[in-house]
Amino acid sequence: MVWEFGWAYGVGWGAAIFLFGAVVLLLCDKESEEIYYKERKIVHDASLRD
C-alpha cells in the first residue's frame, strides 16, 4: 500500500509547528516583569507667579 499526501498535509504540519512555537514564546514572555510608567508633563507658567 502506498500513501501519498498532498501539499495541504505539509501546510497543516507547518501551521501546527508555528502555533506550538508561538505558545512557547508567549509562555516565556509571561515570566518577564514589565515596567509600566506614567509620563508627567510639568509646565512652568510665569504668569501664575505673584
Side-chain angles (χ1 to χ4, degrees):
M1 181 179 261
V2 177
W3 292 91
E4 292 184 12
F5 299 103
W7 59 270
Y9 185 77
V11 171
W13 272 108
I17 290 170
F18 278 112
L19 184 64
F20 180 73
V23 168
V24 169
L25 289 176
L26 282 173
L27 289 176
C28 290
D29 186 47
K30 194 176 187 181
E31 298 174 0
S32 67
E33 183 176 337
E34 296 183 13
I35 299 173
Y36 294 99
Y37 64 94
K38 184 177 180 180
E39 186 175 332
R40 288 193 304 178
K41 184 176 181 182
I42 300 173
V43 178
H44 295 285
D45 193 357
S47 64
L48 295 176
R49 295 182 184 174
D50 290 318

